[in-house]
PDB file of all heavy atoms in Angstrom:
ATOM      1  N   ASN A 245       0.885  -1.298   0.033  1.00  0.00           N
ATOM      2  CA  ASN A 245       0.025  -0.001  -0.031  1.00  0.00           C
ATOM      3  C   ASN A 245       0.834   1.312   0.036  1.00  0.00           C
ATOM      4  O   ASN A 245       0.352   2.388  -0.018  1.00  0.00           O
ATOM      5  CB  ASN A 245      -0.918   0.007   1.242  1.00  0.00           C
ATOM      6  CG  ASN A 245      -1.919  -1.048   1.205  1.00  0.00           C
ATOM      7  OD1 ASN A 245      -2.436  -1.490   0.050  1.00  0.00           O
ATOM      8  ND2 ASN A 245      -2.202  -1.663   2.335  1.00  0.00           N
ATOM      9  N   GLU A 246       2.147   1.090   0.110  1.00  0.00           N
ATOM     10  CA  GLU A 246       3.041   2.285   0.169  1.00  0.00           C
ATOM     11  C   GLU A 246       3.442   2.736  -1.219  1.00  0.00           C
ATOM     12  O   GLU A 246       4.413   2.205  -1.829  1.00  0.00           O
ATOM     13  CB  GLU A 246       4.265   1.907   0.999  1.00  0.00           C
ATOM     14  CG  GLU A 246       5.187   3.112   1.175  1.00  0.00           C
ATOM     15  CD  GLU A 246       4.546   4.340   1.843  1.00  0.00           C
ATOM     16  OE1 GLU A 246       4.036   4.152   2.861  1.00  0.00           O
ATOM     17  OE2 GLU A 246       4.653   5.399   1.217  1.00  0.00           O
ATOM     18  N   ASP A 247       2.620   3.506  -1.890  1.00  0.00           N
ATOM     19  CA  ASP A 247       2.902   3.981  -3.227  1.00  0.00           C
ATOM     20  C   ASP A 247       3.007   5.573  -3.248  1.00  0.00           C
ATOM     21  O   ASP A 247       2.953   6.071  -4.406  1.00  0.00           O
ATOM     22  CB  ASP A 247       1.826   3.521  -4.162  1.00  0.00           C
ATOM     23  CG  ASP A 247       0.472   3.924  -3.866  1.00  0.00           C
ATOM     24  OD1 ASP A 247       0.299   4.603  -2.787  1.00  0.00           O
ATOM     25  OD2 ASP A 247      -0.458   3.535  -4.623  1.00  0.00           O
ATOM     26  N   ASP A 248       3.183   6.196  -2.111  1.00  0.00           N
ATOM     27  CA  ASP A 248       3.220   7.743  -2.109  1.00  0.00           C
ATOM     28  C   ASP A 248       4.746   8.251  -2.495  1.00  0.00           C
ATOM     29  O   ASP A 248       4.895   9.316  -2.723  1.00  0.00           O
ATOM     30  CB  ASP A 248       2.820   8.218  -0.782  1.00  0.00           C
ATOM     31  CG  ASP A 248       1.402   7.915  -0.530  1.00  0.00           C
ATOM     32  OD1 ASP A 248       0.632   7.833  -1.478  1.00  0.00           O
ATOM     33  OD2 ASP A 248       1.001   7.874   0.652  1.00  0.00           O
ATOM     34  N   GLY A 249       5.624   7.302  -2.519  1.00  0.00           N
ATOM     35  CA  GLY A 249       7.067   7.710  -2.707  1.00  0.00           C
ATOM     36  C   GLY A 249       7.710   8.120  -1.317  1.00  0.00           C
ATOM     37  O   GLY A 249       7.088   8.251  -0.267  1.00  0.00           O
ATOM     38  N   MET A 250       9.022   8.114  -1.392  1.00  0.00           N
ATOM     39  CA  MET A 250       9.782   8.321  -0.277  1.00  0.00           C
ATOM     40  C   MET A 250       9.999   9.829   0.132  1.00  0.00           C
ATOM     41  O   MET A 250      10.231  10.126   1.254  1.00  0.00           O
ATOM     42  CB  MET A 250      11.154   7.659  -0.358  1.00  0.00           C
ATOM     43  CG  MET A 250      11.052   6.243  -0.336  1.00  0.00           C
ATOM     44  SD  MET A 250      10.712   5.552   1.218  1.00  0.00           S
ATOM     45  CE  MET A 250       8.947   4.815   0.921  1.00  0.00           C
ATOM     46  N   LEU A 251       9.801  10.731  -0.842  1.00  0.00           N
ATOM     47  CA  LEU A 251       9.975  12.117  -0.488  1.00  0.00           C
ATOM     48  C   LEU A 251       8.947  12.604   0.555  1.00  0.00           C
ATOM     49  O   LEU A 251       9.355  13.297   1.429  1.00  0.00           O
ATOM     50  CB  LEU A 251       9.799  12.944  -1.784  1.00  0.00           C
ATOM     51  CG  LEU A 251      10.104  14.450  -1.603  1.00  0.00           C
ATOM     52  CD1 LEU A 251      11.493  14.714  -1.024  1.00  0.00           C
ATOM     53  CD2 LEU A 251       9.894  15.170  -2.863  1.00  0.00           C
ATOM     54  N   LEU A 252       7.764  12.156   0.420  1.00  0.00           N
ATOM     55  CA  LEU A 252       6.714  12.441   1.437  1.00  0.00           C
ATOM     56  C   LEU A 252       7.031  12.110   2.751  1.00  0.00           C
ATOM     57  O   LEU A 252       6.953  12.776   3.692  1.00  0.00           O
ATOM     58  CB  LEU A 252       5.371  11.839   1.053  1.00  0.00           C
ATOM     59  CG  LEU A 252       4.246  11.985   2.026  1.00  0.00           C
ATOM     60  CD1 LEU A 252       3.840  13.547   2.124  1.00  0.00           C
ATOM     61  CD2 LEU A 252       3.008  11.205   1.599  1.00  0.00           C
ATOM     62  N   TRP A 253       7.644  10.832   2.971  1.00  0.00           N
ATOM     63  CA  TRP A 253       8.154  10.344   4.205  1.00  0.00           C
ATOM     64  C   TRP A 253       9.205  11.167   4.784  1.00  0.00           C
ATOM     65  O   TRP A 253       9.330  11.476   6.028  1.00  0.00           O
ATOM     66  CB  TRP A 253       8.501   8.922   4.150  1.00  0.00           C
ATOM     67  CG  TRP A 253       7.262   8.115   4.223  1.00  0.00           C
ATOM     68  CD1 TRP A 253       6.729   7.384   3.185  1.00  0.00           C
ATOM     69  CD2 TRP A 253       6.447   7.879   5.338  1.00  0.00           C
ATOM     70  NE1 TRP A 253       5.525   6.796   3.644  1.00  0.00           N
ATOM     71  CE2 TRP A 253       5.365   7.143   4.983  1.00  0.00           C
ATOM     72  CE3 TRP A 253       6.512   8.342   6.610  1.00  0.00           C
ATOM     73  CZ2 TRP A 253       4.399   6.677   5.839  1.00  0.00           C
ATOM     74  CZ3 TRP A 253       5.408   7.898   7.555  1.00  0.00           C
ATOM     75  CH2 TRP A 253       4.426   7.080   7.148  1.00  0.00           C
ATOM     76  N   LEU A 254      10.218  11.627   3.897  1.00  0.00           N
ATOM     77  CA  LEU A 254      11.320  12.488   4.326  1.00  0.00           C
ATOM     78  C   LEU A 254      10.813  13.819   4.852  1.00  0.00           C
ATOM     79  O   LEU A 254      11.357  14.348   5.864  1.00  0.00           O
ATOM     80  CB  LEU A 254      12.254  12.675   3.264  1.00  0.00           C
ATOM     81  CG  LEU A 254      13.133  11.429   2.937  1.00  0.00           C
ATOM     82  CD1 LEU A 254      14.042  11.675   1.801  1.00  0.00           C
ATOM     83  CD2 LEU A 254      13.937  11.036   4.129  1.00  0.00           C
ATOM     84  N   VAL A 255       9.802  14.335   4.179  1.00  0.00           N
ATOM     85  CA  VAL A 255       9.210  15.651   4.651  1.00  0.00           C
ATOM     86  C   VAL A 255       8.519  15.507   6.075  1.00  0.00           C
ATOM     87  O   VAL A 255       8.620  16.364   6.902  1.00  0.00           O
ATOM     88  CB  VAL A 255       8.120  16.155   3.653  1.00  0.00           C
ATOM     89  CG1 VAL A 255       7.307  17.285   4.249  1.00  0.00           C
ATOM     90  CG2 VAL A 255       8.789  16.494   2.358  1.00  0.00           C
ATOM     91  N   VAL A 256       8.050  14.326   6.400  1.00  0.00           N
ATOM     92  CA  VAL A 256       7.421  14.058   7.649  1.00  0.00           C
ATOM     93  C   VAL A 256       8.491  13.667   8.666  1.00  0.00           C
ATOM     94  O   VAL A 256       8.534  14.134   9.828  1.00  0.00           O
ATOM     95  CB  VAL A 256       6.337  12.956   7.604  1.00  0.00           C
ATOM     96  CG1 VAL A 256       5.858  12.549   8.952  1.00  0.00           C
ATOM     97  CG2 VAL A 256       5.228  13.404   6.774  1.00  0.00           C
ATOM     98  N   ILE A 257       9.385  12.825   8.375  1.00  0.00           N
ATOM     99  CA  ILE A 257      10.384  12.190   9.293  1.00  0.00           C
ATOM    100  C   ILE A 257      11.416  13.214   9.681  1.00  0.00           C
ATOM    101  O   ILE A 257      11.703  13.358  10.886  1.00  0.00           O
ATOM    102  CB  ILE A 257      11.023  10.956   8.643  1.00  0.00           C
ATOM    103  CG1 ILE A 257      10.090   9.897   8.538  1.00  0.00           C
ATOM    104  CG2 ILE A 257      12.256  10.537   9.466  1.00  0.00           C
ATOM    105  CD1 ILE A 257      10.601   8.779   7.733  1.00  0.00           C
ATOM    106  N   VAL A 258      11.925  13.980   8.794  1.00  0.00           N
ATOM    107  CA  VAL A 258      13.137  14.959   9.157  1.00  0.00           C
ATOM    108  C   VAL A 258      12.754  15.839  10.281  1.00  0.00           C
ATOM    109  O   VAL A 258      13.336  16.015  11.221  1.00  0.00           O
ATOM    110  CB  VAL A 258      13.729  15.621   7.918  1.00  0.00           C
ATOM    111  CG1 VAL A 258      14.660  16.637   8.219  1.00  0.00           C
ATOM    112  CG2 VAL A 258      14.330  14.585   7.022  1.00  0.00           C
ATOM    113  N   PRO A 259      11.566  16.610  10.128  1.00  0.00           N
ATOM    114  CA  PRO A 259      11.191  17.507  11.300  1.00  0.00           C
ATOM    115  C   PRO A 259      10.991  16.829  12.597  1.00  0.00           C
ATOM    116  O   PRO A 259      11.342  17.347  13.645  1.00  0.00           O
ATOM    117  CB  PRO A 259      10.004  18.222  10.750  1.00  0.00           C
ATOM    118  CG  PRO A 259       9.944  18.042   9.288  1.00  0.00           C
ATOM    119  CD  PRO A 259      10.641  16.730   8.997  1.00  0.00           C
ATOM    120  N   VAL A 260      10.357  15.672  12.569  1.00  0.00           N
ATOM    121  CA  VAL A 260      10.018  14.913  13.766  1.00  0.00           C
ATOM    122  C   VAL A 260      11.362  14.469  14.485  1.00  0.00           C
ATOM    123  O   VAL A 260      11.594  14.659  15.615  1.00  0.00           O
ATOM    124  CB  VAL A 260       9.115  13.730  13.476  1.00  0.00           C
ATOM    125  CG1 VAL A 260       8.993  12.846  14.754  1.00  0.00           C
ATOM    126  CG2 VAL A 260       7.767  14.242  13.116  1.00  0.00           C
ATOM    127  N   VAL A 261      12.260  13.868  13.675  1.00  0.00           N
ATOM    128  CA  VAL A 261      13.533  13.378  14.238  1.00  0.00           C
ATOM    129  C   VAL A 261      14.446  14.539  14.719  1.00  0.00           C
ATOM    130  O   VAL A 261      15.017  14.508  15.802  1.00  0.00           O
ATOM    131  CB  VAL A 261      14.272  12.538  13.188  1.00  0.00           C
ATOM    132  CG1 VAL A 261      15.699  12.204  13.715  1.00  0.00           C
ATOM    133  CG2 VAL A 261      13.542  11.211  12.955  1.00  0.00           C
ATOM    134  N   VAL A 262      14.442  15.671  13.957  1.00  0.00           N
ATOM    135  CA  VAL A 262      15.295  16.798  14.356  1.00  0.00           C
ATOM    136  C   VAL A 262      14.773  17.487  15.592  1.00  0.00           C
ATOM    137  O   VAL A 262      15.477  17.784  16.496  1.00  0.00           O
ATOM    138  CB  VAL A 262      15.360  17.852  13.187  1.00  0.00           C
ATOM    139  CG1 VAL A 262      15.946  19.224  13.703  1.00  0.00           C
ATOM    140  CG2 VAL A 262      16.233  17.278  12.021  1.00  0.00           C
ATOM    141  N   PHE A 263      13.333  17.631  15.676  1.00  0.00           N
ATOM    142  CA  PHE A 263      12.772  18.161  16.894  1.00  0.00           C
ATOM    143  C   PHE A 263      13.072  17.283  18.106  1.00  0.00           C
ATOM    144  O   PHE A 263      13.478  17.855  19.187  1.00  0.00           O
ATOM    145  CB  PHE A 263      11.220  18.282  16.675  1.00  0.00           C
ATOM    146  CG  PHE A 263      10.610  18.727  17.955  1.00  0.00           C
ATOM    147  CD1 PHE A 263      10.586  20.101  18.432  1.00  0.00           C
ATOM    148  CD2 PHE A 263       9.861  17.795  18.700  1.00  0.00           C
ATOM    149  CE1 PHE A 263      10.011  20.484  19.620  1.00  0.00           C
ATOM    150  CE2 PHE A 263       9.209  18.156  19.877  1.00  0.00           C
ATOM    151  CZ  PHE A 263       9.279  19.538  20.401  1.00  0.00           C
ATOM    152  N   PHE A 264      12.928  15.926  18.003  1.00  0.00           N
ATOM    153  CA  PHE A 264      13.105  15.197  19.196  1.00  0.00           C
ATOM    154  C   PHE A 264      14.673  15.116  19.538  1.00  0.00           C
ATOM    155  O   PHE A 264      14.960  15.106  20.673  1.00  0.00           O
ATOM    156  CB  PHE A 264      12.758  13.698  18.884  1.00  0.00           C
ATOM    157  CG  PHE A 264      12.889  12.787  20.023  1.00  0.00           C
ATOM    158  CD1 PHE A 264      12.031  12.880  21.169  1.00  0.00           C
ATOM    159  CD2 PHE A 264      14.039  11.999  20.108  1.00  0.00           C
ATOM    160  CE1 PHE A 264      12.310  12.098  22.217  1.00  0.00           C
ATOM    161  CE2 PHE A 264      14.316  11.149  21.219  1.00  0.00           C
ATOM    162  CZ  PHE A 264      13.381  11.239  22.308  1.00  0.00           C
ATOM    163  N   ALA A 265      15.537  15.064  18.483  1.00  0.00           N
ATOM    164  CA  ALA A 265      16.909  15.073  18.826  1.00  0.00           C
ATOM    165  C   ALA A 265      17.410  16.404  19.501  1.00  0.00           C
ATOM    166  O   ALA A 265      18.205  16.344  20.492  1.00  0.00           O
ATOM    167  CB  ALA A 265      17.760  14.914  17.511  1.00  0.00           C
ATOM    168  N   ALA A 266      16.830  17.481  19.096  1.00  0.00           N
ATOM    169  CA  ALA A 266      17.113  18.753  19.687  1.00  0.00           C
ATOM    170  C   ALA A 266      16.612  18.796  21.166  1.00  0.00           C
ATOM    171  O   ALA A 266      17.220  19.221  22.083  1.00  0.00           O
ATOM    172  CB  ALA A 266      16.591  19.946  18.915  1.00  0.00           C
ATOM    173  N   LEU A 267      15.410  18.309  21.309  1.00  0.00           N
ATOM    174  CA  LEU A 267      14.791  18.337  22.681  1.00  0.00           C
ATOM    175  C   LEU A 267      15.671  17.364  23.559  1.00  0.00           C
ATOM    176  O   LEU A 267      16.037  17.738  24.706  1.00  0.00           O
ATOM    177  CB  LEU A 267      13.360  17.804  22.655  1.00  0.00           C
ATOM    178  CG  LEU A 267      12.680  17.558  24.013  1.00  0.00           C
ATOM    179  CD1 LEU A 267      12.378  18.883  24.650  1.00  0.00           C
ATOM    180  CD2 LEU A 267      11.427  16.726  23.749  1.00  0.00           C
ATOM    181  N   TRP A 268      16.050  16.197  23.065  1.00  0.00           N
ATOM    182  CA  TRP A 268      16.788  15.203  23.861  1.00  0.00           C
ATOM    183  C   TRP A 268      18.173  15.832  24.208  1.00  0.00           C
ATOM    184  O   TRP A 268      18.603  15.697  25.470  1.00  0.00           O
ATOM    185  CB  TRP A 268      17.103  13.907  23.023  1.00  0.00           C
ATOM    186  CG  TRP A 268      17.774  12.891  23.651  1.00  0.00           C
ATOM    187  CD1 TRP A 268      17.409  11.935  24.569  1.00  0.00           C
ATOM    188  CD2 TRP A 268      19.140  12.645  23.509  1.00  0.00           C
ATOM    189  NE1 TRP A 268      18.362  11.161  24.945  1.00  0.00           N
ATOM    190  CE2 TRP A 268      19.520  11.530  24.334  1.00  0.00           C
ATOM    191  CE3 TRP A 268      20.183  13.298  22.800  1.00  0.00           C
ATOM    192  CZ2 TRP A 268      20.814  11.006  24.387  1.00  0.00           C
ATOM    193  CZ3 TRP A 268      21.465  12.717  22.838  1.00  0.00           C
ATOM    194  CH2 TRP A 268      21.787  11.684  23.633  1.00  0.00           C
ATOM    195  N   ALA A 269      18.818  16.468  23.273  1.00  0.00           N
ATOM    196  CA  ALA A 269      20.183  17.047  23.533  1.00  0.00           C
ATOM    197  C   ALA A 269      20.034  18.170  24.519  1.00  0.00           C
ATOM    198  O   ALA A 269      20.914  18.281  25.488  1.00  0.00           O
ATOM    199  CB  ALA A 269      20.762  17.565  22.205  1.00  0.00           C
ATOM    200  N   LEU A 270      19.080  19.086  24.415  1.00  0.00           N
ATOM    201  CA  LEU A 270      18.907  20.171  25.418  1.00  0.00           C
ATOM    202  C   LEU A 270      18.601  19.582  26.846  1.00  0.00           C
ATOM    203  O   LEU A 270      19.231  20.113  27.799  1.00  0.00           O
ATOM    204  CB  LEU A 270      17.791  21.086  24.979  1.00  0.00           C
ATOM    205  CG  LEU A 270      18.138  21.935  23.782  1.00  0.00           C
ATOM    206  CD1 LEU A 270      16.853  22.650  23.296  1.00  0.00           C
ATOM    207  CD2 LEU A 270      19.283  22.943  24.036  1.00  0.00           C
ATOM    208  N   VAL A 271      17.755  18.643  26.977  1.00  0.00           N
ATOM    209  CA  VAL A 271      17.368  18.037  28.305  1.00  0.00           C
ATOM    210  C   VAL A 271      18.618  17.422  28.844  1.00  0.00           C
ATOM    211  O   VAL A 271      19.095  17.614  30.026  1.00  0.00           O
ATOM    212  CB  VAL A 271      16.262  17.096  28.112  1.00  0.00           C
ATOM    213  CG1 VAL A 271      16.134  16.235  29.356  1.00  0.00           C
ATOM    214  CG2 VAL A 271      15.037  17.812  27.847  1.00  0.00           C
ATOM    215  N   ASN A 272      19.439  16.670  28.003  1.00  0.00           N
ATOM    216  CA  ASN A 272      20.625  15.942  28.538  1.00  0.00           C
ATOM    217  C   ASN A 272      21.658  16.948  28.915  1.00  0.00           C
ATOM    218  O   ASN A 272      22.464  16.694  29.853  1.00  0.00           O
ATOM    219  CB  ASN A 272      21.082  14.906  27.588  1.00  0.00           C
ATOM    220  CG  ASN A 272      20.350  13.663  27.751  1.00  0.00           C
ATOM    221  OD1 ASN A 272      20.593  12.979  28.749  1.00  0.00           O
ATOM    222  ND2 ASN A 272      19.578  13.206  26.935  1.00  0.00           N
ATOM    223  N   LEU A 273      21.861  17.981  28.070  1.00  0.00           N
ATOM    224  CA  LEU A 273      22.894  18.957  28.455  1.00  0.00           C
ATOM    225  C   LEU A 273      22.580  19.644  29.775  1.00  0.00           C
ATOM    226  O   LEU A 273      23.424  19.847  30.596  1.00  0.00           O
ATOM    227  CB  LEU A 273      23.102  19.988  27.362  1.00  0.00           C
ATOM    228  CG  LEU A 273      23.844  19.571  26.107  1.00  0.00           C
ATOM    229  CD1 LEU A 273      23.679  20.567  25.021  1.00  0.00           C
ATOM    230  CD2 LEU A 273      25.256  19.238  26.415  1.00  0.00           C
ATOM    231  N   SER A 274      21.356  20.019  30.004  1.00  0.00           N
ATOM    232  CA  SER A 274      20.979  20.684  31.273  1.00  0.00           C
ATOM    233  C   SER A 274      20.985  19.722  32.400  1.00  0.00           C
ATOM    234  O   SER A 274      21.576  20.004  33.493  1.00  0.00           O
ATOM    235  CB  SER A 274      19.592  21.381  31.083  1.00  0.00           C
ATOM    236  OG  SER A 274      18.674  20.367  31.009  1.00  0.00           O
ATOM    237  N   MET A 275      20.567  18.471  32.189  1.00  0.00           N
ATOM    238  CA  MET A 275      20.702  17.560  33.329  1.00  0.00           C
ATOM    239  C   MET A 275      22.103  17.185  33.703  1.00  0.00           C
ATOM    240  O   MET A 275      22.473  17.056  34.921  1.00  0.00           O
ATOM    241  CB  MET A 275      19.930  16.182  32.888  1.00  0.00           C
ATOM    242  CG  MET A 275      18.443  16.406  32.793  1.00  0.00           C
ATOM    243  SD  MET A 275      17.568  16.859  34.383  1.00  0.00           S
ATOM    244  CE  MET A 275      17.799  15.429  35.333  1.00  0.00           C
ATOM    245  N   ARG A 276      23.010  16.992  32.637  1.00  0.00           N
ATOM    246  CA  ARG A 276      24.374  16.683  32.935  1.00  0.00           C
ATOM    247  C   ARG A 276      25.051  17.745  33.787  1.00  0.00           C
ATOM    248  O   ARG A 276      25.817  17.535  34.663  1.00  0.00           O
ATOM    249  CB  ARG A 276      25.148  16.443  31.648  1.00  0.00           C
ATOM    250  CG  ARG A 276      26.475  16.050  31.877  1.00  0.00           C
ATOM    251  CD  ARG A 276      27.245  15.726  30.642  1.00  0.00           C
ATOM    252  NE  ARG A 276      28.523  15.133  30.892  1.00  0.00           N
ATOM    253  CZ  ARG A 276      29.568  15.055  30.101  1.00  0.00           C
ATOM    254  NH1 ARG A 276      29.373  15.370  28.880  1.00  0.00           N
ATOM    255  NH2 ARG A 276      30.659  14.635  30.449  1.00  0.00           N
ATOM    256  N   ASP A 277      24.711  19.116  33.371  1.00  0.00           N
ATOM    257  CA  ASP A 277      25.327  20.186  34.155  1.00  0.00           C
ATOM    258  C   ASP A 277      24.781  20.225  35.524  1.00  0.00           C
ATOM    259  O   ASP A 277      25.543  20.564  36.516  1.00  0.00           O
ATOM    260  CB  ASP A 277      25.018  21.429  33.364  1.00  0.00           C
ATOM    261  CG  ASP A 277      25.777  21.564  32.193  1.00  0.00           C
ATOM    262  OD1 ASP A 277      26.780  20.900  31.963  1.00  0.00           O
ATOM    263  OD2 ASP A 277      25.407  22.502  31.264  1.00  0.00           O
ATOM    264  N   LYS A 278      23.549  19.938  35.719  1.00  0.00           N
ATOM    265  CA  LYS A 278      22.976  20.029  37.134  1.00  0.00           C
ATOM    266  C   LYS A 278      23.406  18.760  37.972  1.00  0.00           C
ATOM    267  O   LYS A 278      23.570  18.943  39.183  1.00  0.00           O
ATOM    268  CB  LYS A 278      21.451  20.018  36.982  1.00  0.00           C
ATOM    269  CG  LYS A 278      20.868  21.288  36.519  1.00  0.00           C
ATOM    270  CD  LYS A 278      19.382  21.219  36.476  1.00  0.00           C
ATOM    271  CE  LYS A 278      18.921  22.424  35.725  1.00  0.00           C
ATOM    272  NZ  LYS A 278      17.404  22.418  35.495  1.00  0.00           N
ATOM    273  N   LEU A 279      23.504  17.630  37.419  1.00  0.00           N
ATOM    274  CA  LEU A 279      23.783  16.386  38.241  1.00  0.00           C
ATOM    275  C   LEU A 279      25.205  16.151  38.360  1.00  0.00           C
ATOM    276  O   LEU A 279      25.656  15.551  39.392  1.00  0.00           O
ATOM    277  CB  LEU A 279      23.123  15.202  37.597  1.00  0.00           C
ATOM    278  CG  LEU A 279      21.562  15.190  37.477  1.00  0.00           C
ATOM    279  CD1 LEU A 279      21.116  14.037  36.743  1.00  0.00           C
ATOM    280  CD2 LEU A 279      21.011  15.245  38.906  1.00  0.00           C
ATOM    281  N   LEU A 280      26.020  16.467  37.448  1.00  0.00           N
ATOM    282  CA  LEU A 280      27.445  16.107  37.573  1.00  0.00           C
ATOM    283  C   LEU A 280      28.325  17.267  37.654  1.00  0.00           C
ATOM    284  O   LEU A 280      28.332  18.173  36.700  1.00  0.00           O
ATOM    285  CB  LEU A 280      27.887  15.309  36.313  1.00  0.00           C
ATOM    286  CG  LEU A 280      27.075  14.033  36.110  1.00  0.00           C
ATOM    287  CD1 LEU A 280      27.351  13.406  34.723  1.00  0.00           C
ATOM    288  CD2 LEU A 280      27.220  13.055  37.164  1.00  0.00           C
ATOM    289  N   ALA A 281      29.044  17.410  38.691  1.00  0.00           N
ATOM    290  CA  ALA A 281      30.040  18.549  38.874  1.00  0.00           C
ATOM    291  C   ALA A 281      31.336  18.246  38.178  1.00  0.00           C
ATOM    292  O   ALA A 281      32.012  19.207  37.830  1.00  0.00           O
ATOM    293  CB  ALA A 281      30.232  18.802  40.363  1.00  0.00           C
ATOM    294  N   GLU A 282      31.679  17.020  38.049  1.00  0.00           N
ATOM    295  CA  GLU A 282      32.864  16.721  37.339  1.00  0.00           C
ATOM    296  C   GLU A 282      32.669  15.696  36.287  1.00  0.00           C
ATOM    297  O   GLU A 282      31.534  15.272  36.075  1.00  0.00           O
ATOM    298  CB  GLU A 282      33.892  16.152  38.393  1.00  0.00           C
ATOM    299  CG  GLU A 282      33.371  15.045  39.102  1.00  0.00           C
ATOM    300  CD  GLU A 282      34.097  14.730  40.364  1.00  0.00           C
ATOM    301  OE1 GLU A 282      34.454  15.746  41.069  1.00  0.00           O
ATOM    302  OE2 GLU A 282      34.365  13.634  40.737  1.00  0.00           O
ATOM    303  N   GLU A 283      33.735  15.217  35.636  1.00  0.00           N
ATOM    304  CA  GLU A 283      33.590  14.168  34.596  1.00  0.00           C
ATOM    305  C   GLU A 283      33.025  12.901  35.182  1.00  0.00           C
ATOM    306  O   GLU A 283      33.512  12.384  36.194  1.00  0.00           O
ATOM    307  CB  GLU A 283      34.904  13.919  33.948  1.00  0.00           C
ATOM    308  CG  GLU A 283      34.836  13.296  32.701  1.00  0.00           C
ATOM    309  CD  GLU A 283      34.229  14.036  31.604  1.00  0.00           C
ATOM    310  OE1 GLU A 283      34.174  15.267  31.614  1.00  0.00           O
ATOM    311  OE2 GLU A 283      33.558  13.397  30.690  1.00  0.00           O
ATOM    312  N   PRO A 284      31.941  12.325  34.569  1.00  0.00           N
ATOM    313  CA  PRO A 284      31.302  11.091  35.163  1.00  0.00           C
ATOM    314  C   PRO A 284      32.239   9.826  34.967  1.00  0.00           C
ATOM    315  O   PRO A 284      33.045   9.811  34.118  1.00  0.00           O
ATOM    316  CB  PRO A 284      30.119  10.834  34.278  1.00  0.00           C
ATOM    317  CG  PRO A 284      30.344  11.525  32.998  1.00  0.00           C
ATOM    318  CD  PRO A 284      31.274  12.769  33.471  1.00  0.00           C
ATOM    319  N   PRO A 285      32.121   8.870  35.881  1.00  0.00           N
ATOM    320  CA  PRO A 285      33.016   7.714  35.808  1.00  0.00           C
ATOM    321  C   PRO A 285      32.589   6.764  34.739  1.00  0.00           C
ATOM    322  O   PRO A 285      33.235   5.732  34.510  1.00  0.00           O
ATOM    323  CB  PRO A 285      32.938   7.046  37.232  1.00  0.00           C
ATOM    324  CG  PRO A 285      31.538   7.529  37.642  1.00  0.00           C
ATOM    325  CD  PRO A 285      31.358   8.871  37.042  1.00  0.00           C
TER     326      PRO A 285
END
């Protein structure tokens, strides 16, 4: 049933993945700074 082509999926996937990756990175950067004062073991 997948006959719409791959470009449509890229238009949907890229913003979703970029948004989640940015959110994940921001949360982890802030959590790492708050939780760890030095380099983790």
Side-chain angles (χ1 to χ4, degrees):
N245 296 324
E246 184 56 56
D247 58 0
D248 296 333
M250 291 292 110
L251 183 61
L252 175 65
W253 280 106
L254 286 177
V255 169
V256 171
I257 291 171
V258 169
V260 170
V261 171
V262 167
F263 173 75
F264 181 78
L267 175 70
W268 181 84
L270 289 173
V271 167
N272 273 293
L273 285 171
S274 68
M275 291 298 290
R276 183 176 184 195
D277 291 342
K278 289 179 185 175
L279 294 176
L280 304 170
E282 58 198 40
E283 197 63 30

